[in-house]
Amino acid sequence: MKRQTTDIVIAGGGVAGLAAAAAFGTAGFNVTIIDPTPPVTVGDQDGSDLRTTAFLQPAQRFLETAGLWSKLAAHAAPLQIMRIVDIGTEKPVTRDFDAADISDLPFGWNLPNWLLRREMVARLAELPNVDFRAGVGFRAMLARTSELIVTLSDGSQLAAKLLIGADGRNSAVRQAAGIGAKTMRYGQKALTFAVTHDAPHDNVSTEIHRSGGPFTLVPLPDHDGKPCSAIVWMDKGAEVNRLAALDADTFETAANDRSGFLYGPLRLATRRMVWPIISQIADELVAPRTALVAEAAHVMPPIGAQGLNMSLRDLSCLLDLATAKPVHLGDPKMLATYARQRHPDIRLRVTGIDALNRASMAGRPLAQSLRTKGIEALYGAAPVRRTLMNLGLGAG
């Protein structure tokens, strides 16, 4: 079988990998993207990803450069206010972080993951220099001075200047590169689903804290004429498994109790899905001719919309370096610069989200009281509040 040549091979056809292929393809690079599982692009089909992703402002700008935002904007629900509600103490505390304090735009925009895949796949079909091989996975790689040979699961080989590992927390690319990862486990899982409710969400993303983990409602476009929100409900693994097994009526009762009825009665609009919660950082971000991005490089609990937005910051950094000097694509200097620019930010944000998650898990009265006082203190100092909002958007 004849070995084919390309500029970039992307392993992983999730949202991050598809965004990478669109961005590098739009920039003029020849790209081959592979994934052993073809993407599910219909919401009610078995295997569809019913989670949602909130794209913050820098991520939205990246999607524009990739030719994606024009396809996504009409389906997105804006996030104008981030609301934190602590109902774990005798006196509940509510604090709002309003994007208007720092920007003329919303904090971000929320979209269903299955729809993201649909529109991203459509974008790749428009790019003649992008080859999407769904159903084909990564098997092995051999780095040379001037190129890298990638062997695929169908036995074919590709010669490329750069391999981007966007193949998830159990990344085969990371393992093939001999890169380890530090993993922190919390004994938590996340239950994800969408609901309709009577009260309008008014483009407010609401994170409700009690014990076990946050219960977050993120705005979605209306569903069947009703206000709609995506929910991420984090708790101890055994409790999430119990909730996932409840019949719909009993589950809705539990969800209404956990939400404090802030939106009125919640009614299931989708099936429920369960995801394990961990934090993880790869020991290194690069190997010869190889860069790790997204969950191959870092994983964190779904708090503050940081996960995929960090992934797109990885891609934005790589794209900037690649387009600045295309002749040096994948060489040691480019990859060392990528690692130097991204690793500190990754460590800062993973550590910060880890601390927020541990505080949210607090079940003892004293710990809950300290969490509440921390929310009040951070909100009360205007310069600190603005700094936190800018950090959340990826600035600083």
Side-chain angles (χ1 to χ4, degrees):
M1 185 178 296
K2 185 178 180 180
R3 181 183 299 160
Q4 294 180 301
T5 299
T6 187
D7 294 324
I8 301 169
V9 175
I10 299 171
V15 173
L18 293 170
F24 281 92
T26 301
F29 293 96
N30 293 316
V31 177
T32 301
I33 175 172
I34 58 173
D35 194 284
T37 305
V40 178
T41 57
V42 179
D44 58 0
Q45 184 176 329
D46 287 346
S48 66
D49 185 351
L50 298 177
R51 294 174 296 176
T52 64
T53 295
F55 291 101
L56 302 179
Q57 289 180 22
Q60 183 262 345
R61 292 192 291 271
F62 179 80
L63 295 175
E64 281 187 334
T65 67
L68 288 165
W69 188 245
S70 61
K71 296 179 177 295
L72 298 172
H75 307 287
L79 310 178
Q80 182 63 34
I81 292 175
M82 301 293 192
R83 177 170 293 157
I84 298 178
V85 181
D86 195 326
I87 59 175
T89 56
E90 184 176 342
K91 185 180 179 181
V93 172
T94 299
R95 294 292 182 265
D96 286 354
F97 295 82
D98 192 334
D101 290 344
I102 59 170
S103 174
D104 294 332
L105 296 173
F107 282 114
W109 298 262
N110 198 43
L111 294 112
N113 283 7
W114 66 265
L115 186 145
L116 288 171
R117 285 178 168 84
R118 184 188 75 190
E119 299 303 323
M120 288 177 170
V121 169
R123 173 58 180 158
L124 297 190
E126 297 173 351
L127 296 168
N129 53 326
V130 175
D131 178 13
F132 183 20
R133 302 189 187 183
V136 180
F138 169 88
R139 178 180 292 173
M141 62 185 183
L142 175 64
R144 296 174 174 170
T145 302
S146 60
E147 65 179 8
L148 180 111
I149 307 302
V150 181
T151 302
L152 309 184
S153 60
D154 63 1
S156 63
Q157 289 187 328
L158 294 168
K161 296 294 184 182
L162 175 65
L163 170 64
I164 298 177
D167 52 342
R169 60 186 64 184
N170 298 314
S171 170
V173 170
R174 188 182 68 228
Q175 294 173 30
I179 298 174
K182 180 182 179 182
T183 303
M184 294 166 279
R185 304 187 186 277
Y186 305 97
Q188 286 177 301
K189 292 182 178 179
L191 196 60
T192 60
F193 53 99
V195 296
T196 58
H197 39 82
D198 294 336
H201 51 59
D202 293 327
N203 298 326
V204 177
S205 178
T206 303
E207 196 169 276
I208 303 170
H209 294 263
R210 193 159 70 184
S211 62
F215 182 98
T216 305
L217 299 101
V218 188
L220 285 172
D222 288 357
H223 177 75
D224 291 339
K226 284 277 194 178
C228 185
S229 294
I231 291 182
V232 180
W233 186 352
M234 292 169 56
D235 213 317
K236 295 177 181 177
E239 175 63 6
V240 167
N241 289 339
R242 183 190 73 81
L243 291 166
L246 296 175
D247 64 81
D249 289 342
T250 306
F251 178 78
E252 286 178 354
T253 299
N256 282 312
D257 174 69
R258 181 61 180 81
S259 72
F261 288 89
L262 291 179
Y263 283 62
L266 305 178
R267 302 173 187 86
L268 279 170
T270 65
R271 69 181 186 273
R272 290 159 275 173
M273 301 180 71
V274 174
W275 303 88
I277 301 300
I278 64 170
S279 287
Q280 184 171 280
I281 302 179
D283 295 339
E284 303 288 343
L285 293 182
V286 299
R289 294 281 165 188
T290 303
L292 302 180
V293 302
E295 289 202 341
H298 47 75
V299 184
M300 67 189 71
I303 296 174
Q306 289 299 299
L308 188 65
N309 287 277
M310 278 183 58
S311 301
L312 296 191
R313 283 198 288 275
D314 298 340
L315 297 177
S316 181
C317 179
L318 267 182
L319 183 63
D320 287 346
L321 293 170
T323 54
K325 293 184 178 180
V327 70
H328 294 307
L329 180 67
D331 73 9
K333 184 176 180 180
M334 173 190 164
L335 293 175
T337 303
Y338 168 68
R340 186 172 63 251
Q341 291 183 3
R342 290 301 302 138
H343 226 153
D345 180 60
I346 289 169
R347 290 191 177 280
L348 171 67
R349 293 176 193 277
V350 171
T351 301
I353 294 297
D354 171 75
L356 287 172
N357 187 41
R358 293 182 189 278
S360 182
M361 292 168 64
R364 292 174 294 178
L366 176 59
Q368 290 179 341
S369 177
L370 290 172
R371 181 184 66 212
T372 301
K373 290 183 183 300
I375 292 172
E376 290 177 319
L378 290 173
Y379 181 85
V384 175
R385 183 170 72 251
R386 286 193 293 270
T387 298
L388 286 174
M389 288 190 285
N390 278 306
L391 280 172
L393 289 178

